[in-house]
Amino acid sequence: THHYATGTPLRAGFWWPSIQQPDGTRTAVQLAPPVHAHLPLEVTAHGKRVELQARQYDQLALMAHSELRPDERSRYRQTRLRTEAYPTARHEPLREAVLYDVFGGRMYGDSPRAIHEEMVHRGLPVEHLWVVKDGQCEVPPTAKAVRVHSPEYYEAMARSRYLVGNTHFPRWLERREGQQIIQTWHGTPLKRIGFDFDNDHFASTQYLMDLDRERRQWSMLLSPNRFSTPIMRSAFRFGGDGDDAAGELLEAGYPRNDVLLAPDRAERAARVRHALGLPDGKRVILYAPTWREDKQRHRGGFLLDLRVDLEKARHELGDDHVLLIRPHAHIVEPVPGAGDGFVWDVAGYPDIMDLLLIADVLVTDYSSVMFDFAVTGRPMLFFTYDLEHYRDRLRGFYFDFEKRAPGPLLPTSDELIAALRDLNAESELYEKEYGKAYDEFRADFCDLDDGRAARRVVDRMLAHRGTATA
């Protein structure tokens, strides 16, 4: 695990320790015969049971147990919790509680974090509950962790006054009278989403059936900017007439972006750099690409396909730069070469907003992170090696990205490295070439970013509650 996430236990499942050789290849850890008599051996690490085992006769394997006890996670018990315990709890009185869910319990961050911090700042008389999957996210003292699919999770879904999430809620969730379900979502759409998205790699009718049911449960859907409002109305069929779900589509901006404009952002950035262990005085490049639906699945996720010549980048930029690589959450492979002082694998860092705070330049492709980073006004470069394929075959765009991009579109690794080198030497050249496009991009997509989005959302939640806004 990363040194800045030392409190996070291993994910449940099998782990195969290996040794990296000087040439970069990895070999499995083999067990000497005398060791076999002592295995399996169980230890507790960060509160989770981990078993050391011999597998395939002489290979060392770690088996990390689930956070749920065997009696909690059995199919029979889960069915009972979903079909009996949850419906029964819906008839119990509502609790003055907020249940937050970010990517199914994988992290403490994004817009729900900003809403939580705003509610705590106001001292509102509510209990704060945070969904945690398999111990994979650390929750601050201001909230209480709730294990995904535990009995207390079903009860919290049924009885919390507010549910605040940034991705899909469970398909069995049914909003009850007096309950508010706030869907913050997690990005300005460049690429097509929801009912607007149709291709061979994402042809699941079940997904659309689930979305059709889920959108009717939301009380509120957030729009990050005026550009996104009609898209979200169409893609989620929400907040309009006819077949649309009748909740409120709130043009508030993204609460997560407030931190980029906060008065204490410089101090927070210094804390993040320190937590990561970054060397002083080096320019920070953040590379945050999206995922590709057509890249072969691997251990339940998608392949990392960096396309950047890391050796050349290190040679050209390593003296005065560090390269932070943040793969999309769907990617499951480690970043090659990380730990050499130049390349940093920040996949496990909890909240990408902290990384945007410290980045001097962002490299991305078609990720919605571009819309958030534009708030900072710092340079962006677009590594678009598969632009035509992605645009025309995979996802499709909502606007002419090539015309409106606030920075150069670079199709090769060599051009990307050269642009990063030139940017350091001649930042005014970037301003001269892309300043106008950048200003227009910010006007179009950051029009609601003023540092007060969380305040607006919480005001609205309290207004729906029938309480005077604080």
Side-chain angles (χ1 to χ4, degrees):
T1 55
H2 301 271
H3 61 93
Y4 50 79
T6 49
T8 306
L10 286 175
R11 284 199 308 271
F14 276 102
W15 294 78
W16 300 87
S18 61
I19 297 167
Q20 185 162 328
Q21 306 296 342
D23 65 358
T25 59
R26 304 186 81 88
T27 55
V29 176
Q30 288 185 293
L31 296 164
V35 176
H36 287 238
H38 302 284
L39 298 178
L41 179 67
E42 193 172 280
V43 296
T44 300
H46 300 302
K48 178 177 278 198
R49 284 163 52 231
V50 179
E51 206 171 275
L52 280 69
Q53 301 180 349
R55 289 253 153 184
Q56 298 167 8
Y57 182 67
D58 63 353
Q59 282 194 36
L60 177 66
L62 303 179
M63 203 206 36
H65 289 270
S66 166
E67 283 248 301
L68 296 180
R69 298 189 306 273
D71 64 302
E72 291 175 327
R73 69 175 184 267
S74 72
R75 182 173 289 185
Y76 172 75
R77 184 69 194 282
Q78 283 295 312
T79 303
R80 289 281 301 269
L81 286 168
R82 191 176 64 249
T83 59
E84 294 177 26
Y86 171 71
T88 301
R90 288 182 73 251
H91 297 289
E92 297 286 322
L94 278 171
R95 287 162 55 188
E96 295 306 317
V98 192
L99 180 67
Y100 304 90
D101 184 340
V102 175
F103 295 122
R106 285 208 310 269
M107 65 182 277
Y108 172 71
D110 210 74
S111 291
R113 172 183 178 173
I115 292 168
H116 169 65
E117 289 173 350
E118 173 66 17
M119 293 186 101
V120 168
H121 174 70
R122 294 190 190 197
L124 295 173
V126 293
E127 188 181 2
H128 297 276
L129 308 172
W130 202 280
V131 173
V132 175
K133 180 172 183 165
D134 194 36
Q136 292 308 295
C137 83
E138 291 186 69
V139 175
T142 49
K144 179 182 167 192
V146 174
R147 300 169 302 151
V148 169
H149 298 141
S150 64
E152 61 267 26
Y153 168 82
Y154 288 95
E155 204 228 359
M157 284 281 184
R159 297 191 56 196
S160 298
R161 169 82 59 192
Y162 306 99
L163 306 181
V164 179
N166 77 335
T167 189
H168 300 291
F169 288 97
R171 65 175 64 166
W172 42 262
L173 180 67
E174 195 173 341
R175 176 165 47 107
R176 58 185 283 191
E177 192 175 343
Q179 195 172 43
Q180 288 185 47
I181 300 180
I182 291 88
Q183 173 60 267
T184 69
W185 202 240
H186 50 262
T188 290
L190 163 61
K191 50 205 185 222
R192 296 192 176 274
I193 57 172
F195 287 101
D196 292 348
F197 176 23
D198 181 25
N199 75 21
D200 294 343
H201 298 286
F202 207 86
S204 167
T205 52
Q206 184 63 52
Y207 171 80
L208 293 180
M209 284 165 62
D210 289 347
L211 178 58
D212 190 46
R213 186 180 186 288
E214 187 192 335
R215 68 195 173 96
R216 299 172 196 278
Q217 309 304 319
W218 304 337
S219 331
M220 196 187 297
L221 171 64
L222 301 192
S223 171
N225 42 49
R226 291 183 183 92
F227 162 81
S228 296
T229 302
I231 291 171
M232 297 187 117
R233 187 170 284 131
S234 155
F236 294 121
R237 296 182 186 163
F238 187 88
D241 304 318
D243 183 44
D244 288 7
E248 180 179 12
L249 185 51
L250 182 66
E251 260 184 354
Y254 270 152
R256 70 183 184 195
N257 286 355
D258 290 349
V259 69
L260 299 176
L261 297 166
D264 67 343
R265 59 188 181 272
E267 293 91 334
R268 183 160 167 173
R271 287 198 302 272
V272 174
R273 289 180 72 109
H274 178 73
L276 284 166
L278 294 181
D280 289 333
K282 296 224 176 181
R283 192 174 173 86
V284 177
I285 306 163
L286 175 63
Y287 178 35
T290 190
W291 56 300
R292 307 295 192 275
E293 289 88 345
D294 61 339
K295 292 299 171 198
Q296 174 193 344
R297 286 174 185 268
H298 173 62
R299 294 208 313 264
F302 289 79
L303 291 177
L304 180 69
D305 190 18
L306 277 183
R307 302 290 183 110
V308 179
D309 184 340
L310 294 179
E311 199 54 53
K312 183 168 183 178
R314 183 183 297 107
H315 178 72
E316 300 261 343
L317 304 166
D319 288 346
D320 49 5
H321 290 73
V322 286
L323 175 63
L324 276 49
I325 299 181
R326 172 74 167 201
H328 191 278
H330 290 326
I331 305 296
V332 292
E333 290 180 294
V335 172
D340 63 356
F342 172 66
V343 177
W344 296 68
D345 182 351
V346 290
Y349 190 84
D351 193 352
I352 194 171
M353 300 313 296
D354 286 348
L355 303 178
L356 298 189
L357 268 180
I358 64 169
D360 295 300
V361 55
L362 174 71
V363 177
T364 187
D365 41 20
Y366 326 108
S367 169
S368 64
V369 73
M370 69 177 80
F371 301 101
D372 306 310
F373 194 70
V375 175
T376 69
R378 295 181 208 137
M380 285 189 265
L381 308 179
F382 299 91
F383 185 31
T384 50
Y385 58 85
D386 61 350
L387 176 63
E388 290 79 11
H389 172 68
Y390 195 92
R391 179 194 61 210
D392 301 335
R393 304 245 341 259
L394 267 189
R395 287 294 281 259
F397 294 155
Y398 282 114
F399 63 87
D400 191 335
F401 175 56
E402 289 121 293
K403 274 192 182 161
R404 292 167 76 177
L409 273 53
L410 304 158
T412 69
S413 176
D414 285 354
E415 287 169 282
L416 173 64
I417 293 166
L420 284 164
R421 197 182 54 238
D422 294 346
L423 189 64
N424 198 27
E426 303 183 62
S427 53
E428 66 277 0
L429 190 64
Y430 176 90
E431 176 62 35
K432 192 173 163 187
E433 284 194 42
Y434 299 103
K436 184 170 182 290
Y438 204 126
D439 289 345
E440 289 173 357
F441 192 84
R442 287 181 80 179
D444 289 340
F445 302 113
C446 306
D447 55 306
L448 302 178
D449 287 307
D450 60 0
R452 295 193 291 271
R455 214 174 301 174
R456 284 191 286 275
V457 174
V458 173
D459 282 347
R460 211 67 201 115
M461 289 164 65
L462 296 177
H464 281 302
R465 172 79 174 90
T467 310
T469 52

